[in-house]
Amino acid sequence: MLHGVSLEVAAGEVFGFVGPNGAGKTTFLKSLLGIVRPDAGSITIADIDARRRPLRARRNVGYAPGETAMYDSFRVLTMLEFALAFHESASLERGRALLSRFGLPEKRRVRQLSHGMKRKLLLAQAIASGAPVLMLDEPMEGLDPEARRDVEVLLAQEAAAGRTVFFSSHDLPSVERVCRRVAFLRGGRLLECGPVEEILSRASHTLLVQLREPREPDALPSGPGLEWTGEGKRWRLAYRGNAEDALAQLTALPIASLRDASGGLEEVFEALYGAEEDAS
């Protein structure tokens, strides 16, 4: 059940939508598409009132559902053609190019596809729909790292071309890389929504420093916001502020290697939902 979730996503934006299982993410997407009928509120998709004209609104959405259920007896190309027939702006040529890019054999039966391959087929039909809005429910599930990066590139390209990408996912590293803003949902309620960069500013900032020569703690740069732990050649630096200022204070050290071990959205996610658990 959803409780007063209000969001606005702009054209040309990749918007992340995250939360634990049962948070209401899929229910929210299905409400937007008219698959689930909300009790109250308004829904506008591409300037169309989706509650009054649900079919017209859905024609403006390329949807890749979280479930990979399709017509198992169809061949891949037939399934693609079937899905694209709903969209006036669809491009079968674009769809076939995506099948090739994803390594999906056109003549193979859908039932012969792995879970990850079915996910790619759903993505192909959503993107090739030509619809101005893409709604993707767990699009990275079942994909290997190389395929995930390829999809990230695709989504960034679609947004750059002016399409709105609504990206609901548990894959927080992908959300962090491709989304401009992100919303956190819990128990059907919106916990927080804001720019990814702003939300990431709350995560811890850490550098792992390997020196060519050992140093004593009093020989390391010191100052407000710097905290060193370790010994000899191996040190961990926790800092506040931006990375450039922290790095500027390390120029006099004989650095052999440097690695950023700062927290990302996963750390923010754990802190946000951990706090919710503690309060319950």
Side-chain angles (χ1 to χ4, degrees):
M1 185 175 293
L2 299 170
H3 306 274
V5 179
S6 179
L7 295 171
E8 183 174 345
V9 185
E13 180 178 11
V14 185
F15 184 89
F17 196 52
V18 304
N21 291 330
K25 302 189 302 297
T26 296
T27 300
F28 183 74
L29 263 67
K30 288 183 175 180
S31 297
L32 297 180
L33 294 167
I35 301 171
V36 172
R37 191 170 184 83
D39 297 323
S42 62
I43 301 169
T44 302
I45 299 174
D47 297 324
I48 297 171
D49 186 333
R51 298 197 66 184
R52 295 181 59 188
R53 305 177 65 191
L55 185 59
R56 184 60 193 164
R58 286 187 69 180
R59 291 188 186 279
N60 284 277
V61 177
Y63 179 48
E67 305 90 354
T68 56
M70 288 178 273
Y71 293 106
D72 284 350
S73 63
F74 280 16
R75 298 190 187 277
V76 167
L77 181 58
T78 305
M79 188 67 226
L80 177 68
E81 292 171 333
F82 176 80
L84 295 185
F86 180 72
H87 296 280
E88 300 170 354
S89 55
S91 168
L92 181 59
E93 181 181 1
R94 177 82 195 281
R96 295 184 74 175
L98 287 168
L99 294 183
S100 177
R101 176 171 180 161
F102 290 152
L104 295 175
E106 291 185 356
K107 295 183 179 180
R108 185 170 297 181
R109 303 281 183 185
V110 170
R111 63 169 165 262
Q112 297 175 306
L113 301 179
S114 67
H115 180 75
M117 294 174 79
K118 288 180 180 179
R119 183 68 63 199
K120 291 176 182 178
L121 177 53
L122 289 171
L123 279 167
Q125 61 83 22
I127 294 171
S129 69
V133 178
L134 296 178
M135 290 190 188
L136 312 177
D137 194 359
E138 298 296 345
M140 302 300 187
E141 185 185 28
L143 303 187
D144 60 47
E146 183 178 356
R148 291 184 184 200
R149 290 304 181 103
D150 189 31
V151 172
E152 289 172 11
V153 170
L154 265 175
L155 298 186
Q157 291 172 342
E158 295 306 309
R163 300 177 86 174
T164 300
V165 182
F166 196 93
F167 182 64
S168 175
S169 181
H170 284 106
D171 187 347
L172 296 180
S174 286
V175 171
E176 185 176 330
R177 284 190 291 266
V178 302
C179 295
R180 181 188 306 170
R181 291 187 299 139
V182 62
F184 293 87
L185 196 69
R186 173 65 180 268
R189 300 181 187 276
L190 193 64
L191 293 184
E192 186 164 357
C193 177
V196 171
E197 184 177 347
E198 179 182 306
I199 291 173
L200 284 176
S201 67
R202 303 179 207 162
S204 62
H205 301 295
T206 305
L207 293 172
L208 300 181
V209 182
Q210 173 78 33
L211 303 177
R212 293 192 300 272
E213 304 166 1
R215 284 288 192 275
E216 294 297 322
D218 58 5
L220 298 171
S222 61
L226 297 183
E227 182 179 344
W228 293 91
T229 55
E231 61 180 356
K233 295 181 180 181
R234 297 177 180 273
W235 295 91
R236 176 187 291 268
L237 172 62
Y239 65 93
R240 295 193 297 272
N242 60 62
E244 290 77 10
D245 291 342
L247 290 171
Q249 301 190 59
L250 307 183
T251 54
L253 290 177
I255 294 176
S257 66
L258 193 66
R259 184 165 69 86
D260 186 359
S262 299
L265 273 185
E266 290 182 341
E267 180 179 314
V268 176
F269 184 95
E270 290 174 7
L272 187 60
Y273 292 100
E276 285 282 304
E277 291 288 348
D278 294 341
S280 62

